[in-house]
Amino acid sequence: MENHAPLGTHAAEAPATREILLDEAVSPVKAIERIQIRRIRIVPGHPAGPHIHNAPVFGSIESGSAVYQIAGREPSVLRPGDVFHEPEGSVIEKFDATEEGVTFLAYFPLAAGEEPAIAPADGS
């Protein structure tokens, strides 16, 4: 009896692969009760402005692109498939949609009774 690979696969192709895209520590450490996932769209050219989140945010770009910068670090451009982490309490200088706009998934690990919140970095 001959041994054949399933249809649509090659004999040398693994049936599944796993690639680490992001491995970030959550600081401060917190008890997580749930994770909320949001699809967020920012219109072309719109700057988010410097801001701070009350919980860490992990995300991945679905379409478009954004200029991303944590205070004190160099800016980068995030494109489809790129992942990011906005640390809790850190100033996010930029999450600005480029001329094509951006759509991304944002994952919010939340403690009991906590809801995601965003505040301007200047405190207003």
Side-chain angles (χ1 to χ4, degrees):
M1 182 174 204
E2 291 183 67
N3 187 5
H4 293 285
L7 291 177
T9 64
H10 302 307
E13 185 178 359
T17 61
R18 292 166 180 84
E19 178 182 2
I20 296 171
L21 299 178
L22 181 67
D23 187 354
E24 289 280 341
V26 175
S27 180
V29 174
K30 64 193 287 180
I32 296 172
E33 179 183 74
R34 69 189 215 282
I35 296 176
Q36 186 178 94
I37 304 170
R38 296 179 178 186
R39 176 172 284 116
I40 300 172
R41 293 177 182 91
I42 303 176
V43 298
H46 182 73
H51 61 276
I52 299 171
H53 290 277
N54 68 326
V57 180
F58 296 87
S60 60
I61 305 297
E62 287 191 314
S63 64
S65 60
V67 177
Y68 168 66
Q69 182 181 16
I70 296 174
R73 299 187 190 168
E74 291 295 315
S76 62
V77 176
L78 300 173
R79 293 183 171 82
D82 288 343
V83 296
F84 61 90
H85 170 226
E86 296 182 346
E88 177 178 342
S90 292
V91 174
I92 307 305
E93 291 288 341
K94 294 177 184 281
F95 203 100
D96 301 347
T98 63
E99 63 282 345
E100 58 190 331
V102 67
T103 299
F104 60 98
L105 295 178
Y107 300 78
F108 298 87
L110 301 167
E114 186 177 41
E115 291 298 325
I118 187 171
D122 64 8
S124 57

